[in-house]
Amino acid sequence: MALIVQKYGGSSVADTASLKRVAQRVVAAHRAGHDVVVVVSAMGDTTDDLLDMAAELNPDAPKREMDMLLSAGERISMSLLAMAITAEGVPAYAYTGRQAGIHTDTRYGKASITGMVPERVARALHTGSVAIVAGFQGVNDRGDVTTLGRGGSDTTAVALAAALNADVCEIFTDVDGLFTADPRIVPLARQVRKLDYQETLELAANGAKILHLRAVEYARRYRVPLHVRSSFSDKLGTWIADDRPASTLAGYLDPDSFDRKEQDMEQPIISGIAHDRSQEKITVAGLPDKPGTAAELFRQVAAADANIDMIVQNIAVNVPGRSTITFTCQSGDAKDILERLEKAREILDYREIVYNPEIGKLSLVGAGMRTNPGISARFFEALSKAGVNVEMISTSEVRISVIVDADRLDEAVRALHAEFNLDAQETEAVVYGGTGR
Ligand code: ASP
Ligand code: MG
């Protein structure tokens, strides 16, 4: 018998027929003798609809009230699912984040989990019931509802799996798993059978939309095996773990599949390509080339509460004593940053700011990079053959990222997908649901 945490995204619980289907899946796992905890997202586009209504009434809505509002979406799906499961003859109880003992800090709209005390969930399991928990929400020290940021239900599921020491956390979505690239850009993208935590982290952090980044961080820290799969089929999805999942899963999900699938295929050097259109580029030219300049510049950026991603500094050869710093940020943050930099013109003593919102970021990820030399050469060769100009570069042990012109991004992704032999023989990707997750 295993303890299974299942998370169903919005498109898997979009309407009552979907809820019924999910209920049957949950009941099947329960009848097979497993303890089942279910985390649900809001139905379909509910969260977006709530956001639209709020914006209509107050474009600058108070954050506390916004979280109160958004948390309501998950309350609807969790209680309806509990009813659907009970109708199948299995006792089920729904819990809000607070009732499930999910404690967070006070940052409304992007709260972090600070403690997990899922006592009532554990008790429900103990009495043979299914426990259903509202995704993406918790409670702060003030006793107020907080939310974990868009897509945060993944994090709720992984945090519960960690706290309950679950055997697996299944992330049910509307695609069959993680793909070597976004199938909308690369029709021949292939389903990835297995990823380790670091690869998944790099893909999620660099634009792959399938998992909430913090969920992957959490899974890695607590070594929670994840299985990302479709709620619309019984196909095996993508396993995310460093080791083989525990054998207690036998009879539910055959953990041998974790290895067996791999034997069909040579262990690939590259696991996938992520892309991100949500970044913009800011260049601050003619800065004094002396200690403390970068520190002051990024103090200003931090004051705008913005995260930056890539940074490049160049010495201006033709202007002695001056240097140029270029960095990328999330598009929503650029306006604030530019305003701050404008105000700090005198302190920073720069000559000029160049702002370019039309960029795209592409990241090649694979654990095999650690041990296979020559990947960078092939990477840049393929881009040059495709006539794609590289504007910025950054790397990690298992990743190479570049910034390119937004218009050339798709082409660049396809060129690299082909170069690293990731193209499937025939189209594999099927999207079953709507636009949601
Ligand atoms: N319903 C929330 C959202 O749409 C949380 C989630 O789906 O994970 O972002
Ligand atoms: Mg959602």
mmCIF file of all heavy atoms in Angstrom, residues 9-10 41-42 44 47 74 150-151 436-437, ligand 2:
data_model
loop_
_atom_site.group_PDB
_atom_site.id
_atom_site.type_symbol
_atom_site.label_atom_id
_atom_site.label_comp_id
_atom_site.label_asym_id
_atom_site.label_seq_id
_atom_site.Cartn_x
_atom_site.Cartn_y
_atom_site.Cartn_z
ATOM 1 N N GLY A 9 -4.821 19.761 -12.238
ATOM 2 C CA GLY A 9 -4.815 21.155 -12.694
ATOM 3 C C GLY A 9 -6.194 21.581 -13.169
ATOM 4 O O GLY A 9 -7.113 20.768 -13.305
ATOM 5 N N GLY A 10 -6.332 22.871 -13.436
ATOM 6 C CA GLY A 10 -7.607 23.471 -13.795
ATOM 7 C C GLY A 10 -8.318 22.802 -14.961
ATOM 8 O O GLY A 10 -9.537 22.615 -14.935
ATOM 9 N N SER A 41 -6.679 22.410 -8.379
ATOM 10 C CA SER A 41 -6.673 23.803 -8.818
ATOM 11 C C SER A 41 -8.118 24.246 -8.985
ATOM 12 O O SER A 41 -9.032 23.431 -8.919
ATOM 13 C CB SER A 41 -5.987 23.937 -10.176
ATOM 14 O OG SER A 41 -4.609 23.729 -10.070
ATOM 15 N N ALA A 42 -8.297 25.528 -9.263
ATOM 16 C CA ALA A 42 -9.627 26.049 -9.543
ATOM 17 C C ALA A 42 -10.098 25.517 -10.896
ATOM 18 O O ALA A 42 -9.293 25.211 -11.773
ATOM 19 C CB ALA A 42 -9.590 27.566 -9.553
ATOM 20 N N GLY A 44 -11.111 25.124 -14.553
ATOM 21 C CA GLY A 44 -10.882 25.820 -15.817
ATOM 22 C C GLY A 44 -10.202 27.170 -15.651
ATOM 23 O O GLY A 44 -9.133 27.265 -15.053
ATOM 24 N N THR A 47 -9.661 31.194 -12.049
ATOM 25 C CA THR A 47 -8.737 32.173 -11.449
ATOM 26 C C THR A 47 -8.618 33.416 -12.329
ATOM 27 O O THR A 47 -8.654 34.546 -11.835
ATOM 28 C CB THR A 47 -7.356 31.532 -11.206
ATOM 29 O OG1 THR A 47 -7.543 30.322 -10.474
ATOM 30 C CG2 THR A 47 -6.440 32.454 -10.417
ATOM 31 N N GLU A 74 -10.437 27.560 -5.641
ATOM 32 C CA GLU A 74 -10.071 26.202 -5.229
ATOM 33 C C GLU A 74 -11.089 25.621 -4.244
ATOM 34 O O GLU A 74 -11.244 24.413 -4.137
ATOM 35 C CB GLU A 74 -8.664 26.214 -4.628
ATOM 36 C CG GLU A 74 -7.526 26.011 -5.639
ATOM 37 C CD GLU A 74 -7.265 27.185 -6.574
ATOM 38 O OE1 GLU A 74 -7.874 28.256 -6.355
ATOM 39 O OE2 GLU A 74 -6.470 27.043 -7.520
ATOM 40 N N ARG A 150 0.630 32.281 -9.118
ATOM 41 C CA ARG A 150 -0.033 31.531 -10.176
ATOM 42 C C ARG A 150 0.627 30.171 -10.369
ATOM 43 O O ARG A 150 1.843 30.061 -10.385
ATOM 44 C CB ARG A 150 -0.005 32.319 -11.502
ATOM 45 C CG ARG A 150 -0.765 33.630 -11.506
ATOM 46 C CD ARG A 150 -2.213 33.514 -11.066
ATOM 47 N NE ARG A 150 -3.018 32.528 -11.765
ATOM 48 C CZ ARG A 150 -3.711 32.763 -12.869
ATOM 49 N NH1 ARG A 150 -3.703 33.962 -13.420
ATOM 50 N NH2 ARG A 150 -4.441 31.824 -13.414
ATOM 51 N N GLY A 151 -0.191 29.160 -10.525
ATOM 52 C CA GLY A 151 0.321 27.805 -10.706
ATOM 53 C C GLY A 151 0.764 27.147 -9.405
ATOM 54 O O GLY A 151 1.346 26.064 -9.413
ATOM 55 N N GLY A 436 -6.037 25.750 -20.010
ATOM 56 C CA GLY A 436 -5.585 25.809 -18.623
ATOM 57 C C GLY A 436 -4.582 24.744 -18.293
ATOM 58 O O GLY A 436 -4.048 24.079 -19.168
ATOM 59 N N ARG A 437 -4.309 24.576 -17.013
ATOM 60 C CA ARG A 437 -3.373 23.524 -16.642
ATOM 61 C C ARG A 437 -4.141 22.444 -15.905
ATOM 62 O O ARG A 437 -3.945 22.083 -14.849
ATOM 63 C CB ARG A 437 -2.252 24.098 -15.827
ATOM 64 C CG ARG A 437 -1.589 25.239 -16.579
ATOM 65 C CD ARG A 437 -0.191 25.533 -16.112
ATOM 66 N NE ARG A 437 -0.045 25.467 -14.690
ATOM 67 C CZ ARG A 437 0.994 24.929 -14.065
ATOM 68 N NH1 ARG A 437 1.947 24.380 -14.761
ATOM 69 N NH2 ARG A 437 1.080 24.940 -12.762
HETATM 70 MG MG MG B 2 -4.829 27.143 -12.858
#
